[in-house]
Amino acid sequence: MKLTDIFSSSFDAAEWETKGYQLPKFDIAAVREKTAKEPTWVHFGGGNIFRAFPAAILNDALNTGKYDRGVIVAETFDFEVVDKAYAPYNNLSLLVSLQSSGTIEKKVIASVTEALKADYQFDDWKRLTDIFRNPSLQMISFTITEKGYGYNDADLARGLKPVFAMGKVAALLYERYQAGQLPLTVQSMDNCSHNGDKVRNGVFAYAERWLADGLVPAGFVDYLKDETKITFPWSMIDKITPRPHEKVKEMLAADGFEDNNYIETEKHTFTAPFVNAEEVQYLVIEDHYTNGRPPLDLGGALYTTRETVDKVETMKVTTCLNPLHTAMSIYGCMLGYTLISAEMADEDLRAFIQKIGYMEAMPVVTDPGVLNPYEFIGAVINRRLPNPFMPDAPQRIAMDTSQKLPIRFGETIKKYIARGLDMSNLQLIPLTLAGYARYLKGIKDNGEPFEPSPDPMLEELQAIVAPLEIGKADQDYSCLHALYIRKDVFGLDLYEAGLGEQIEGMVKELFAGVGAVRATLHKYVTAR
């Protein structure tokens, strides 16, 4: 069984379906022909998250029979991805959805009609410029990570042939401007707050530099600023797409599916003809389009206002997901765990994050309306974090914790203060912040050392708690004041918030000796 078999006249669909493979219900050749003539969507970044999510929901939309255009991939960074992950398989891929039950669902994704190398050195660039000059184009989108929106003086000075992604996009938008100031929506689908602004800032940096250098007319910048022509909507995307999993590879091989080899490029992109991803996913998009849009809502995307997208993002990062991740990573490292899924089998840790979400953070969450916060947390706790296919580790999540605490916990505390709520309701969030001081010591609950995860402030913060010793009676804990007044770490002075002394008391319990982390965690979790 190979993906390219689908194009063979002898293709046996019944064999695939009998083995649980969901096949496209649309005419692939017809969709490719229509898309080639009148493209509507170009996506920059042909990696795993794109194939597992945006391409997959377009595939679902096509399966409804209510739409007939595919998506064209433009790769700006790792051109080997086109050569090794797209071309050999005629742009088809296999999406393997990893269920929390330990089973998998398999779906052939055929919504990608072309895969192009977005760079001047390749003939594909001419094809891209033709696409951008086509009035039918409605949307360009991105999953290139937040780093992909960067630029520097050297690249800005390259003129109309930049190297960075945002420069290439600006050059292609200039082609669209020259073709008659045609409308288009520039849509980020990357997992970063206010992502549309990041694309906008990158594109504008190039356009304004080129204007200053006399390379483009002022009308081009005016065109980009005209929201009847060009828009940069926000979105919130949430789906975990880990590296191709060995267990998945073995399960596919048992079916007789042969396109299960790993692919690693010279730039260390790790992929495969199949993509494995968690079953739960969310894509909430600001509905601000100037030339129509592909109906991704037919595949499950939610279109709404910018304000609602912001509420969903805030709900995720301050209540329903990110704070739970950080809390369990801090304690998971100290308790010797190396897998998040294994932590979810620990009754204390499971109850810890469940009560942080439902009991302490939920009272100040703003319900965005399009996603229910209670259901979101329920999916996180019952389906996402326990998933045995998700090889995520607390050590990875604990990276850069000092940069995460202000948003993930500080914002909730600020809302308690602003709304005049009873601060005594906060017990496990303070315990998380107390646990951070204990985590900084780099000693597990059993007394063994561990290496705290990389963090730009790690050495500085470790120096603050350096005088403290685990198991030493009657020691001076006054050094903690220098830690918990840090607004840059916690988002506010925790003493001014009325939580400093409470947190200090918890730290003393956590430092009592071997086994104190477990004992303290159990005490406060069961007391809630």
Side-chain angles (χ1 to χ4, degrees), residues 377-399:
I377 290 183
V380 168
I381 292 174
N382 298 315
R383 296 166 62 194
R384 304 183 73 177
L385 298 179
N387 195 322
F389 284 111
M390 293 290 111
D392 214 348
Q395 290 75 18
R396 185 194 72 80
I397 295 172
M399 292 175 61

